[in-house]
Coordinates of all heavy atoms in Angstrom, one line a residue:
S286 N -60.0 8.7 87.9 CA -60.7 8.1 89.1 C -60.0 6.9 89.6 O -59.9 6.8 90.8 CB -62.1 7.8 88.6 OG -62.9 8.9 88.1
A287 N -59.5 6.1 88.7 CA -58.8 4.9 89.2 C -57.5 5.2 90.0 O -57.2 4.5 91.0 CB -58.3 4.0 87.9
R288 N -56.8 6.3 89.6 CA -55.6 6.6 90.4 C -55.9 7.3 91.8 O -55.2 7.0 92.6 CB -54.8 7.6 89.4 CG -54.0 6.8 88.5 CD -53.6 7.6 87.3 NE -52.9 6.8 86.4 CZ -52.7 7.0 85.1 NH1 -53.3 8.0 84.5 NH2 -52.1 6.3 84.3
I289 N -57.0 8.0 91.8 CA -57.5 8.6 93.1 C -57.9 7.4 93.9 O -57.5 7.4 95.2 CB -58.7 9.5 93.0 CG1 -58.3 10.8 92.1 CG2 -59.3 9.9 94.2 CD1 -59.3 11.6 91.7
L290 N -58.6 6.4 93.5 CA -59.1 5.3 94.3 C -57.9 4.4 94.7 O -57.9 3.9 95.7 CB -60.1 4.5 93.5 CG -61.4 5.2 93.2 CD1 -62.2 4.5 92.2 CD2 -62.2 5.4 94.5
D291 N -57.0 4.4 93.9 CA -55.8 3.6 94.2 C -55.0 4.2 95.3 O -54.6 3.5 96.3 CB -54.7 3.5 92.9 CG -53.6 2.6 93.3 OD1 -53.8 1.3 93.6 OD2 -52.5 3.0 93.2
Q292 N -55.0 5.6 95.3 CA -54.3 6.2 96.5 C -55.1 6.0 97.6 O -54.5 5.8 98.8 CB -54.3 7.7 96.1 CG -53.2 8.0 95.1 CD -53.0 9.6 94.9 OE1 -53.6 10.4 95.6 NE2 -52.1 10.0 94.0
L293 N -56.4 6.0 97.6 CA -57.2 5.8 98.8 C -57.0 4.4 99.4 O -56.9 4.2 100.5 CB -58.7 5.9 98.4 CG -59.5 7.1 98.8 CD1 -61.0 6.9 98.5 CD2 -59.3 7.3 100.3
S294 N -56.8 3.4 98.5 CA -56.7 2.0 99.0 C -55.3 1.9 99.7 O -55.2 1.0 100.5 CB -56.8 1.0 97.8 OG -55.8 1.2 96.9
Q295 N -54.4 2.7 99.2 CA -53.0 2.6 99.8 C -52.8 3.6 101.0 O -51.8 3.5 101.7 CB -51.9 2.8 98.8 CG -51.9 1.9 97.7 CD -50.9 2.2 96.6 OE1 -49.7 2.4 97.1 NE2 -51.3 2.3 95.3
G296 N -53.8 4.5 101.2 CA -53.6 5.5 102.2 C -52.5 6.5 101.9 O -51.9 7.0 102.7
V297 N -52.4 6.8 100.6 CA -51.5 7.6 100.1 C -52.3 8.9 99.5 O -53.3 8.8 98.9 CB -50.6 7.1 98.9 CG1 -49.7 8.1 98.4 CG2 -49.8 5.9 99.5
V298 N -51.6 10.1 99.7 CA -52.1 11.3 99.2 C -51.2 11.9 98.3 O -49.9 11.9 98.5 CB -52.4 12.4 100.4 CG1 -53.3 13.6 99.8 CG2 -53.3 11.8 101.4
A299 N -51.6 12.6 97.2 CA -50.7 13.1 96.2 C -49.9 14.2 96.7 O -48.7 14.4 96.2 CB -51.6 13.5 95.0
E300 N -50.3 15.0 97.7 CA -49.5 16.1 98.1 C -48.8 15.9 99.5 O -49.5 15.3 100.2 CB -50.5 17.4 98.2 CG -51.1 17.8 96.8 CD -51.9 19.1 96.8 OE1 -52.2 19.6 98.0 OE2 -52.3 19.5 95.8
G301 N -47.6 16.3 99.6 CA -46.9 16.1 100.8 C -47.5 16.9 102.0 O -48.2 17.9 101.9
G302 N -47.4 16.2 103.2 CA -47.8 16.9 104.4 C -49.3 16.6 104.8 O -49.8 17.1 105.7
A303 N -50.0 15.8 103.9 CA -51.3 15.5 104.1 C -51.5 14.5 105.2 O -50.6 13.6 105.4 CB -52.0 15.0 102.9
S304 N -52.6 14.4 106.0 CA -52.8 13.4 107.0 C -53.8 12.3 106.4 O -54.5 12.7 105.4 CB -53.3 14.0 108.2 OG -54.7 14.6 108.0
W305 N -53.9 11.2 106.9 CA -54.7 10.1 106.5 C -55.5 9.6 107.7 O -54.9 9.4 108.9 CB -53.8 9.0 105.8 CG -54.6 7.9 105.6 CD1 -54.6 6.7 106.5 CD2 -55.4 7.5 104.5 NE1 -55.3 5.8 105.9 CE2 -56.0 6.2 104.7 CE3 -55.8 8.2 103.4 CZ2 -56.8 5.7 103.8 CZ3 -56.7 7.6 102.6 CH2 -57.2 6.3 102.7
K306 N -56.7 9.3 107.6 CA -57.5 8.8 108.7 C -58.4 7.7 107.9 O -59.2 8.0 106.9 CB -58.5 9.8 109.3 CG -59.3 9.2 110.4 CD -60.0 10.2 111.2 CE -61.3 10.3 110.5 NZ -62.3 11.2 111.3
D307 N -58.3 6.4 108.4 CA -59.1 5.4 107.8 C -60.5 5.5 108.5 O -60.8 6.3 109.3 CB -58.5 4.1 108.1 CG -59.0 3.0 107.1 OD1 -59.8 3.2 106.3 OD2 -58.3 1.9 107.1
G308 N -61.4 4.5 108.3 CA -62.7 4.6 108.8 C -63.5 5.4 108.0 O -64.2 4.9 107.1
D309 N -63.7 6.8 108.4 CA -64.5 7.7 107.6 C -63.7 8.2 106.3 O -64.2 9.1 105.6 CB -65.0 8.8 108.4 CG -66.2 9.4 107.7 OD1 -66.9 8.7 107.0 OD2 -66.4 10.6 108.1
V310 N -62.4 7.8 106.1 CA -61.6 8.2 105.0 C -61.5 9.8 104.9 O -62.1 10.3 104.1 CB -62.0 7.6 103.7 CG1 -60.8 7.9 102.6 CG2 -62.1 6.1 103.9
S311 N -60.7 10.4 105.7 CA -60.5 11.7 105.7 C -59.1 12.3 105.3 O -58.2 11.6 105.9 CB -61.1 12.6 106.9 OG -60.3 12.2 107.9
L312 N -58.8 13.3 104.7 CA -57.5 13.8 104.4 C -57.6 15.2 104.9 O -58.6 16.0 104.7 CB -57.1 13.6 102.9 CG -57.3 12.2 102.4 CD1 -57.0 12.2 100.9 CD2 -56.4 11.2 103.0
S313 N -56.3 15.8 105.1 CA -56.3 17.1 105.7 C -56.3 18.2 104.5 O -56.5 19.4 104.8 CB -55.1 17.3 106.6 OG -53.9 17.1 105.9
N314 N -55.9 17.7 103.3 CA -55.6 18.7 102.2 C -56.6 18.5 101.1 O -57.6 18.0 101.3 CB -54.1 18.8 101.9 CG -53.7 17.5 101.0 OD1 -54.5 16.5 101.0 ND2 -52.7 17.6 100.3
D315 N -56.2 19.0 99.9 CA -57.0 18.9 98.8 C -57.1 17.6 98.2 O -56.4 17.2 97.4 CB -56.3 19.9 97.8 CG -57.1 20.0 96.3 OD1 -58.4 19.7 96.4 OD2 -56.5 20.0 95.4
A316 N -58.0 16.7 98.7 CA -58.1 15.4 98.3 C -59.4 14.8 98.8 O -60.4 15.5 99.1 CB -56.9 14.6 98.6
L317 N -59.5 13.5 98.9 CA -60.8 12.9 99.4 C -61.0 13.1 100.8 O -60.2 13.1 101.6 CB -60.6 11.3 99.1 CG -60.1 10.9 97.7 CD1 -60.0 9.3 97.7 CD2 -61.2 11.4 96.7
L318 N -62.3 13.3 101.1 CA -62.7 13.6 102.5 C -63.5 12.5 103.1 O -63.4 12.4 104.4 CB -63.4 14.9 102.6 CG -62.6 16.2 102.4 CD1 -63.2 17.4 102.4 CD2 -61.3 16.1 103.3
S319 N -64.4 11.9 102.4 CA -65.3 11.0 103.0 C -65.8 9.8 102.1 O -65.9 10.0 100.9 CB -66.4 11.7 103.7 OG -67.3 12.1 102.7
T320 N -66.2 8.7 102.6 CA -66.5 7.6 101.8 C -67.8 6.9 102.5 O -67.9 6.9 103.7 CB -65.5 6.6 101.6 OG1 -66.1 5.5 100.8 CG2 -64.9 6.0 102.9
S321 N -68.7 6.4 101.7 CA -69.9 5.7 102.1 C -69.5 4.3 102.3 O -68.4 3.8 102.0 CB -71.1 5.8 101.1 OG -70.6 5.1 99.8
S322 N -70.5 3.6 102.9 CA -70.2 2.1 103.2 C -70.0 1.3 101.8 O -70.7 1.7 100.9 CB -71.5 1.6 104.0 OG -72.6 1.7 103.2
G323 N -69.3 0.3 101.9 CA -69.0 -0.4 100.7 C -68.0 0.0 99.8 O -67.7 -0.4 98.8
A324 N -67.3 1.3 100.1 CA -66.5 1.9 99.3 C -65.2 1.2 99.0 O -64.6 1.1 98.0 CB -66.1 3.3 99.7
K325 N -64.8 0.5 100.1 CA -63.5 -0.3 100.1 C -63.6 -1.5 99.0 O -62.7 -1.7 98.4 CB -63.1 -0.9 101.4 CG -62.6 0.1 102.4 CD -62.2 -0.6 103.7 CE -61.6 0.6 104.7 NZ -61.1 0.1 105.9
E326 N -64.7 -2.0 98.9 CA -64.9 -3.0 97.9 C -64.8 -2.3 96.4 O -64.3 -3.0 95.5 CB -66.3 -3.7 98.1 CG -66.3 -4.7 99.2 CD -66.6 -4.0 100.6 OE1 -66.8 -2.7 100.5 OE2 -66.5 -4.6 101.6
A327 N -65.4 -1.1 96.4 CA -65.4 -0.4 95.1 C -64.1 -0.2 94.6 O -63.7 -0.1 93.6 CB -66.3 0.9 95.2

Side-chain angles (χ1 to χ4, degrees):
S286 300
R288 285 165 176 147
I289 291 171
L290 293 167
D291 183 60
Q292 287 187 3
L293 254 184
S294 68
Q295 299 178 51
V297 176
V298 187
E300 295 178 357
S304 64
W305 167 262
K306 186 178 87 172
D307 204 351
D309 200 30
V310 188
S311 65
L312 307 175
S313 64
N314 74 343
D315 177 35
L317 308 177
L318 289 182
S319 65
T320 176
S321 63
S322 61
K325 288 187 177 181
E326 289 78 7

